[in-house]
Amino acid sequence: MRLHVNGIDCARLLPGMLKLLAHPDLVTKKAVYHCTAMYASKNPELSLLAVNTLMQECSDSNPLIRGLALKTLTSLNHETFVEYCLRGINQGLSDKSVYVRRVAARCCARVYQQNVDLYNDGTLVNQLYNMLRDSDPIVVVNSMMALEEILSKEGGIVINKNIANHLLNNLKDMTPWGQCYILNILQKYKPKTQDDTFNMLNILDAFLVSQNTAVTTACLQLFLSLISSLPHLRPQVFKRYIKNIVAAIPQGNPELVFHILDHLNSYREEIKAELQPHYSIFFCKESDPLYLKKLKLNMLPHLTMPSHAKEILSEIFLHTSSSSREISLWALKAVTVVFKCDASTAPIVIKKLKQLIDSENPHTISNIFRVVRSLNLNEIKGGSEIIAKIASKHQKLTDTEGQLAFLSVLSQYGNLLEDSPYIIEEYVENFPNETNSVIKYQLLMTCVHVFFHHPAAMQGILGQVLELCIQDADKSVQSQALLYYRLLNHDVEHTKIITSIEMQELQEL
């Protein structure tokens, strides 16, 4: 066994291992069973010798041995052994031992993978349907899983009213994992009458407030499926679900919390009113991993109300100076969402942005440039001061994203900055040394947009940029420069209208 664990091919040892199949020691037997299943397909003729022993042990007095023998028999993975596997499964499905029945139900799908044709007569499928009434809940779930795989081409297991009622009435006895599986499967069933629907909802109500969040979430999905024709009930269902689920968020581990929040996020607009009173549970913890912080920062601004907008902003601004470039960017994006949702936060946002622009952290400055273009600073008191501060920091930008964002900001707010032509001139002087075609493309676009704000100062600069771009080796830069040149040469006012539309599209990105 140690050789096999270390990755050594032990197929040549199979004859010796087969002699140990009937070994009385359970640990030894289990190791031999495992190795036999691993190497049987490489030597089916020799492995045929093991079948007799395995069939005998399927009738052993010890249920553990019966179960292990059946698992091994169905793992031999060769069409020669399928007939024996079916005999073992038929015997196992009616076994007195719960363990053996669980194994037998699970092995049905395994044998189906080996030979699909064996299920054409429907005998084993019918047996599995009968197993749904087994006294053991795990046998029931294993049978359902087997039916789902065997009947996958036909859409999986068929749920009728009797099966649905039986499963619901026994749902309380299932394990949490089994409850989740059954709740998901029951989404296939569509009650024919409204009375049937409400009967199911009454039974499911207890699981909507389960202590297990996975069960609660699966139950919510089934609730929403059942009331698809009764949309007026959705708010009540969400209210009951959220009241129960929010208690798990502060206490859960990061993976669980992420799953809950991701699920809530998919219904964010519909349940926003229910979530807003609980906004504080979406505040980031220092120990939260990045993926969870991103999700919280994505959801938090959408829960803003005038009564707690300042508190939410304070929480978000804590992360704008994060050492993580990604978290800093997500926090700044969240600020813009709060700003758009509640105009009264403008003074706080402007004040904080001014402080952040003075930061010595290069990626924070770069991120500010990337998000500020989504704010309409032309209509905000203090907007021109923000632009002026931004312009004073542009030389600290070393990353491509930041430089592109800054040029885009100049395009959008060139009217608020008198020095914009001279800043652009610095980029134009460096144009022959610039290797990034995207920056060249953006610089060309910025020059054209700023030209309409400062035509006298920009005329010579624009002419120089057009000439450089037309001579550029990059075809996209060259063709765009030719387009602008022809438009300006034909009708300046018409070109101004086109570029204003272009600017609106950029603001929406």
Side-chain angles (χ1 to χ4, degrees):
M1 190 64 182
R2 187 178 298 172
L3 294 174
H4 170 68
V5 170
N6 290 330
I8 298 172
D9 189 350
C10 302
R12 288 180 294 177
L13 302 177
L14 188 60
M17 286 189 281
L18 294 179
K19 295 178 181 179
L20 296 172
L21 281 172
H23 198 283
D25 181 61
L26 192 59
V27 176
T28 303
K29 187 186 288 290
K30 190 172 182 179
V32 173
Y33 278 176
H34 176 75
C35 292
T36 302
M38 286 292 297
Y39 299 113
S41 58
K42 295 183 178 181
N43 196 338
E45 292 182 2
L46 184 60
S47 300
L48 190 59
L49 300 174
V51 172
N52 288 332
T53 304
L54 291 172
M55 288 299 295
Q56 288 174 9
E57 298 208 334
C58 282
S59 302
D60 194 273
S61 58
N62 187 336
L64 284 177
I65 293 177
R66 296 201 300 274
L68 283 171
L70 182 55
K71 265 199 278 190
T72 307
L73 187 64
T74 55
S75 298
L76 295 179
N77 198 20
H78 196 277
E79 58 183 14
T80 310
F81 310 129
V82 171
E83 185 180 344
Y84 298 101
C85 294
L86 287 175
R87 264 196 278 164
I89 287 173
N90 287 329
Q91 186 176 324
L93 288 174
S94 57
D95 199 282
K96 293 180 181 179
S97 168
V98 167
Y99 170 71
V100 178
R101 295 202 305 276
R102 291 175 183 178
V103 171
R106 198 163 62 241
C107 289
C108 291
R110 187 182 296 169
V111 178
Y112 166 75
Q113 292 171 350
Q114 298 172 22
N115 196 323
V116 179
D117 295 335
L118 289 173
Y119 289 84
N120 289 338
D121 62 355
T123 304
L124 203 52
V125 170
N126 291 334
Q127 281 183 282
L128 286 170
Y129 270 112
N130 291 332
M131 296 301 290
L132 297 181
R133 295 192 174 276
D134 194 275
S135 58
D136 180 67
I138 296 179
V139 172
V140 174
V141 175
N142 286 355
S143 300
M144 291 180 70
M145 292 181 69
L147 284 168
E148 270 291 284
E149 185 165 347
I150 293 168
L151 302 173
S152 57
K153 292 181 180 178
E154 303 168 21
I157 185 173
V158 177
I159 305 291
N160 57 30
K161 183 178 179 180
N162 291 334
I163 292 176
N165 288 335
H166 172 72
L167 292 173
L168 284 171
N169 290 327
N170 291 278
L171 195 59
K172 62 183 181 299
D173 300 321
M174 303 288 177
T175 62
W177 175 85
Q179 289 174 347
C180 290
Y181 187 81
I182 288 173
L183 289 168
N184 288 327
I185 289 293
L186 283 173
Q187 291 185 48
K188 293 183 175 187
Y189 176 64
K190 305 297 179 186
K192 294 183 179 179
T193 67
Q194 204 168 89
D195 287 342
D196 289 342
T197 300
F198 283 107
N199 287 336
M200 290 184 69
L201 295 177
N202 288 333
I203 296 172
L204 289 168
D205 187 65
F207 299 95
L208 193 61
V209 291
S210 168
Q211 294 300 310
N212 187 295
T213 54
V215 173
T216 305
T217 302
C219 188
L220 174 68
Q221 295 298 323
L222 180 54
F223 252 88
L224 297 178
S225 174
L226 290 171
I227 64 171
S228 57
S229 60
L230 303 166
H232 62 282
L233 294 178
R234 288 175 70 94
Q236 298 175 42
V237 172
F238 278 122
K239 186 175 183 179
R240 189 159 171 75
Y241 169 73
I242 290 168
K243 186 178 180 181
N244 178 54
I245 206 73
V246 291
I249 295 175
Q251 303 168 5
N253 59 57
E255 292 81 6
L256 176 62
V257 174
F258 179 84
H259 169 76
I260 295 171
L261 295 187
D262 189 49
H263 188 255
L264 291 174
N265 196 35
S266 60
Y267 300 105
R268 187 178 64 206
E269 292 306 313
E270 192 173 359
I271 62 176
K272 184 162 64 173
E274 296 297 333
L275 289 177
Q276 281 173 335
H278 307 285
Y279 67 93
S280 60
I281 65 174
F282 296 90
F283 286 3
C284 297
K285 298 178 182 177
E286 189 176 349
S287 59
D288 284 343
L290 293 183
Y291 63 83
L292 183 54
K293 285 183 178 179
K294 282 174 61 177
L295 184 55
K296 286 183 175 181
L297 289 170
N298 182 40
M299 293 188 67
L300 195 54
H302 296 280
L303 307 180
T304 304
M305 292 178 68
S307 60
H308 54 250
K310 291 181 180 179
E311 194 175 346
I312 287 179
L313 269 176
S314 298
E315 165 64 19
I316 294 172
F317 273 124
L318 288 174
H319 305 283
T320 53
S321 301
S322 170
S323 58
S324 165
R325 174 188 289 268
E326 201 172 1
I327 293 300
S328 171
L329 179 59
W330 276 85
L332 285 164
K333 285 181 177 179
V335 170
T336 64
V337 175
V338 174
F339 179 86
K340 291 174 182 178
C341 291
D342 187 354
S344 66
T345 61
I348 302 171
V349 172
I350 294 297
K351 181 181 178 181
K352 188 61 181 179
L353 284 176
K354 287 179 182 177
Q355 295 172 2
L356 288 172
I357 292 168
D358 289 330
S359 166
E360 295 301 317
N361 191 334
H363 74 246
T364 301
I365 298 172
S366 174
N367 288 339
I368 291 172
F369 290 173
R370 292 173 69 178
V371 300
V372 79
R373 55 186 173 182
S374 65
L375 302 174
N376 192 358
L377 295 177
N378 286 305
E379 299 178 2
I380 299 172
K381 185 179 179 181
S384 57
E385 295 177 36
I386 292 288
I387 296 301
K389 269 189 166 290
I390 284 175
S392 68
K393 298 288 182 177
H394 79 276
Q395 291 179 336
K396 290 190 175 183
L397 296 172
T398 56
D399 62 306
T400 301
E401 291 83 2
Q403 291 176 352
L404 288 171
F406 175 65
L407 290 171
S408 179
V409 167
L410 285 181
S411 297
Q412 191 172 346
Y413 302 113
N415 60 314
L416 299 179
L417 188 64
E418 291 297 325
D419 293 338
S420 55
Y422 309 107
I423 296 171
I424 290 174
E425 196 170 17
E426 295 177 27
Y427 281 88
V428 175
E429 288 174 0
N430 191 51
F431 191 96
N433 301 322
E434 183 59 64
T435 57
N436 192 318
S437 296
V438 180
I439 289 181
K440 291 179 182 179
Y441 192 97
Q442 181 63 57
L443 177 61
L444 170 64
M445 193 182 299
T446 301
C447 286
V448 174
H449 291 162
V450 176
F451 168 74
F452 292 108
H453 298 305
H454 308 283
M458 281 297 300
Q459 186 174 1
I461 297 171
L462 178 58
Q464 186 182 354
V465 168
L466 285 170
E467 185 178 351
L468 288 168
C469 289
I470 289 171
Q471 296 173 0
D472 197 80
D474 190 285
K475 294 296 180 183
S476 62
V477 175
Q478 190 181 109
S479 61
Q480 188 68 15
L482 286 168
L483 174 63
Y484 281 135
Y485 175 78
R486 288 165 183 160
L487 284 170
L488 289 164
N489 194 44
H490 176 70
D491 189 336
V492 174
E493 289 302 317
H494 187 60
T495 308
K496 188 175 181 179
I497 295 170
I498 292 173
T499 55
S500 66
I501 296 171
E502 186 178 55
M503 181 55 64
Q504 289 175 5
E505 292 176 347
L506 285 172
Q507 284 180 267
E508 293 171 1
L509 291 176

